Amino acid sequence: MADKIFRVNMTDLSTSLEDVPADWAGHGGRGLTSTIIAAEVPPACHPLGPNNKLVFAPGLLSGTAASNSGRISAGAKSPLTGTIKESNSGGTSAQRLAKMGCKALIIEGQPKDDVWYSLSLTPEGVTINTEDELIGKGNFAVVEGVEKRCSDKIGILSIGQAGEMQMSAANISVKDPDSHVRSLGRGGLGAVMGSKKIKFIALDAGDAKVDIADPDAFRAANRAFTKALVDHPVSQALGTYGSNVLVNIINEAGGLPTKNFSAGQFEGHEQISGETMHDIIVERGGKPKHGCHSGCVIQCSQIYNDLKGNYKTSGMEYESIWAMGADCTVDNLDQIAEMDHILDDIGIDTIETAVAFGVAMEGGVLPFGDSDEMIRIMSEEIAKGTALGRIIGNGAGSVGRTYGVTRVPVVKNQAIPAYDPRAIKGIGITYATSTQGADHTMGYTIATEILGVGGSADPLSKEGQIELSRNLQIATAAIDSTGMCLFVAFAALDDETCLPALIDMINARFGISLNAADVTNLGISILKTEHAFNQAAGFTNLDDRLPEFFETEPVPPHNAVWDFSGEEIDSFWNF
Amino acid sequence: MRIQVKLFAFFRKGRFIKEDRELPEGSTAGEVVDSLDIDREEVGVLMCNSRHCGFDTILQDGDIYAIFPVIGGG
Ligand code: SF4
């Protein structure tokens, strides 16, 4: 059965199944969401109005047996940045969508009345239902309630209170195999879903399967690909310590943003490190190794239990732990796990929210390190939508403007994540030029600058950084289209069998014959499509800049400042 | 001369997190790795005073020297 575009119009509550236009056929994941947004959304529209659209797309290989291929992309014009946005996540939804033959789900329009809805997708199409019972509830109650009504086999995409209140940092939750949640985290896509008045989307693929054009070739390529992933030492470290293994090395390098980006090393780094987290997890009978979707062979996720050995949270990433930890000077992993759980339930981006807290601490709203007060504000103010809750829930930029703070680490109004761009300069180029606001995943130069994967570059020197960021941003745009978790990139950068095997799988899935140059060209065209959307939305080269304080405030221990000229940054786009 | 050695991730197993060492003048970073029975092949990153260094870097009195296996994340 040929894949279809599933379309839902929330203005007149109509749905349709459409053939996939020829020039969308080669796209998946980010490439497809960005292509659709660029084709159908007026760049100048209000992100929360009827003219914005919310698009979900599984990757090209999602739903197949390919290792680590279960990532889903969501796209829209972002209410946080005003740019085009793609956010991707694990969980079980990509596989459900792909299996039911849904190339992309496009949600457009906006209901005029004050009624909430849910969507239900099956291979036959979409139905729209009114929703009452779960409105005002957090994501965990939504997952539980929807599973009770349908079955625990279905995939669920949902928003919590933050999305209902259309906060700019609201995310979309994706149910994982254990009925916990992962997040389409960045850029406020939960607010867009809330603006469409959709509380959750239930995905029931039944027994449907993805068609493979050449099953033998596919199996062989997947074997080679899986071997490259499993054999790479980075995969092994990720399975043991999670991505949080980075706390100590980024701290050692002097690039761990601390106390709202006023220092590059955190005294409490050891207490929040991956090594400590691993020991706590094992001691309390949790799981240090856990996959966010079936088919992941790296398993960087984990199950973190509380002091009594009861489940507390899962999938704590380095960036979340850094943001709630070093950036707010909180050195207690149990408090961080508690916050991670609350933010997942409210449905709000851990990075944006915690960086917003760091700015609020700078502005005197609460003391640095006061995790009890953070927890109170999350549950009592953000979840309930008080004035303070909304100020923080609208992100770091919103807090900075409200409280007159000048040290506000954002690019295009999106919070800068866990790597200080003064001490690790290549990542600063990614923050500045990314089509989506500050986002490390768009071009992860840390691999080369700090970790020595895929070559090496001096993090304190400007040399070669623009080219490094450009090459990685191009490659990432392509990988984000395959449905692959970005952590396959470590093997892809180092092991020369990895990328060809990945391309072979795409070819065997669709019966086509892409080569490496086609994949690079795909990445280039995605970046250019996204950049053109942003320009049409009013962004210029002057928006590709880091906040001024990075140029004027040296960050210890290296006492480095951000010293790229505007002209140098602009040369990023010379391709 | 005296230096501080820090170990991370797997390298801590059966060894230590942080230790001061007395070394002869002119000792290299690689010699410290060898003395700890760490296979050079398994080393991902070496840092001396928070800057990346190599096996042949000559350590100085008071240096803080960090040894990491191949790790990643993001
Ligand atoms: S490596 Fe981590 S993020 Fe990637 S698919 Fe596996 S569990 Fe998910």
Side-chain angles (χ1 to χ4, degrees), chain A residues 68-71 90-91 182 238 290-293 296-301 317 485-488:
Chain A
N68 288 60
S69 62
R71 305 284 298 187
R182 306 287 297 190
L238 279 169
H290 175 259
C292 72
H293 67 272
C296 167
V297 297
I298 299 176
Q299 306 204 327
C300 77
S301 179
E317 299 281 357
C485 161
L486 198 52
F487 290 164
V488 309

Coordinates of all heavy atoms in Angstrom, one line a residue, chain A residues 68-71 90-91 182 238 290-293 296-301 317 485-488, ligand 1:
Chain A
N68 N 18.0 1.7 15.5 CA 17.9 3.1 15.9 C 17.1 4.0 15.0 O 17.4 5.2 14.8 CB 19.4 3.7 16.1 CG 20.0 3.2 17.3 OD1 20.2 2.0 17.5 ND2 20.4 4.0 18.2
S69 N 16.1 3.4 14.3 CA 15.4 4.2 13.2 C 14.1 4.8 13.7 O 13.3 5.2 12.9 CB 15.2 3.4 12.0 OG 14.4 2.2 12.3
G70 N 13.8 4.7 15.0 CA 12.5 5.1 15.5 C 12.3 6.5 15.9 O 11.5 6.8 16.8
R71 N 13.0 7.5 15.2 CA 12.8 8.9 15.6 C 11.6 9.5 14.8 O 11.5 9.3 13.6 CB 14.1 9.6 15.3 CG 15.3 9.0 16.0 CD 15.4 9.3 17.5 NE 15.5 10.7 17.8 CZ 15.7 11.1 19.1 NH1 15.8 10.2 20.1 NH2 15.8 12.4 19.3
G90 N 12.5 10.1 20.2 CA 12.3 8.7 20.1 C 10.9 8.4 20.6 O 10.0 9.2 20.3
G91 N 10.7 7.2 21.2 CA 9.3 6.8 21.6 C 8.8 5.9 20.5 O 9.5 5.5 19.6
R182 N 9.0 10.4 26.2 CA 10.1 11.2 25.6 C 9.5 12.5 25.1 O 8.3 12.7 25.1 CB 10.7 10.4 24.4 CG 11.1 9.0 24.8 CD 12.3 8.9 25.6 NE 13.5 9.4 25.0 CZ 14.7 9.2 25.4 NH1 14.9 8.6 26.5 NH2 15.8 9.7 24.8
L238 N 27.8 5.3 26.1 CA 26.4 5.8 26.1 C 25.5 4.8 26.8 O 24.6 5.2 27.6 CB 25.9 6.1 24.7 CG 26.3 7.4 24.1 CD1 25.9 7.5 22.6 CD2 25.7 8.6 24.9
H290 N 18.8 1.6 28.7 CA 17.4 1.5 28.3 C 17.2 2.2 27.0 O 17.8 3.2 26.7 CB 16.6 2.2 29.4 CG 15.2 2.3 29.2 ND1 14.6 3.5 28.8 CD2 14.2 1.4 29.3 CE1 13.3 3.3 28.6 NE2 13.0 2.0 29.0
G291 N 16.4 1.6 26.1 CA 16.2 2.2 24.8 C 14.9 3.0 24.8 O 13.9 2.7 25.4
C292 N 14.9 4.2 24.1 CA 13.7 5.0 24.0 C 12.7 4.5 22.9 O 11.6 4.9 22.8 CB 14.1 6.4 23.7 SG 14.6 6.7 22.0
H293 N 13.2 3.5 22.1 CA 12.3 2.8 21.3 C 12.8 1.4 21.0 O 14.0 1.2 21.2 CB 12.0 3.5 19.9 CG 13.2 3.6 19.1 ND1 14.2 4.6 19.2 CD2 13.6 2.9 18.0 CE1 15.1 4.5 18.3 NE2 14.8 3.4 17.6
C296 N 16.6 0.1 19.3 CA 17.8 0.9 19.6 C 18.8 0.0 20.2 O 18.6 -0.7 21.1 CB 17.5 2.0 20.6 SG 19.0 2.7 21.3
V297 N 20.0 0.0 19.6 CA 21.1 -0.9 20.0 C 22.1 -0.2 20.9 O 23.1 -0.7 21.4 CB 21.8 -1.6 18.9 CG1 20.8 -2.5 18.1 CG2 22.5 -0.7 17.9
I298 N 21.9 1.2 21.0 CA 22.9 1.9 21.8 C 22.4 2.1 23.3 O 23.1 1.9 24.2 CB 23.1 3.3 21.2 CG1 23.7 3.2 19.8 CG2 24.0 4.2 22.1 CD1 23.9 4.5 19.0
Q299 N 21.1 2.4 23.4 CA 20.4 2.5 24.7 C 21.0 3.5 25.7 O 21.5 3.1 26.7 CB 20.3 1.1 25.3 CG 19.6 0.1 24.3 CD 19.0 -1.1 25.0 OE1 19.5 -1.5 26.0 NE2 17.9 -1.6 24.4
C300 N 21.0 4.7 25.3 CA 21.5 5.8 26.2 C 20.6 6.2 27.3 O 21.0 6.9 28.2 CB 21.9 7.0 25.4 SG 20.5 8.0 24.9
S301 N 19.3 5.7 27.2 CA 18.4 6.1 28.2 C 18.6 5.3 29.4 O 19.4 4.4 29.5 CB 17.0 5.9 27.6 OG 16.0 6.3 28.6
E317 N 18.8 13.4 30.0 CA 19.9 13.7 29.1 C 20.9 14.6 29.8 O 20.5 15.4 30.7 CB 19.4 14.4 27.9 CG 18.4 13.6 27.0 CD 19.1 12.6 26.2 OE1 20.3 12.5 26.2 OE2 18.4 11.8 25.5
C485 N 18.5 8.0 15.1 CA 18.9 8.8 16.3 C 20.3 9.4 15.9 O 21.1 8.8 15.3 CB 19.1 7.8 17.5 SG 20.1 8.4 18.8
L486 N 20.5 10.6 16.4 CA 21.7 11.3 16.0 C 22.9 10.7 16.6 O 24.0 10.9 16.1 CB 21.6 12.8 16.5 CG 22.5 13.8 15.9 CD1 22.5 13.7 14.4 CD2 22.2 15.2 16.4
F487 N 22.8 9.8 17.6 CA 23.9 9.1 18.2 C 24.6 8.1 17.2 O 25.6 7.6 17.5 CB 23.6 8.5 19.5 CG 23.4 9.6 20.6 CD1 22.7 9.2 21.8 CD2 23.8 10.9 20.4 CE1 22.5 10.2 22.8 CE2 23.6 11.9 21.4 CZ 22.9 11.5 22.6
V488 N 23.9 7.8 16.1 CA 24.6 7.0 15.1 C 25.7 7.8 14.5 O 26.6 7.2 13.8 CB 23.6 6.5 14.0 CG1 22.4 5.8 14.6 CG2 23.3 7.6 13.0
Ligands
SF4_1 S1 20.7 6.0 21.7 FE1 19.4 7.0 23.2 S2 18.2 8.6 22.1 FE2 19.2 7.2 20.6 S3 17.5 5.8 20.1 FE3 18.8 4.9 21.7 S4 17.8 5.4 23.7 FE4 17.0 6.8 22.0

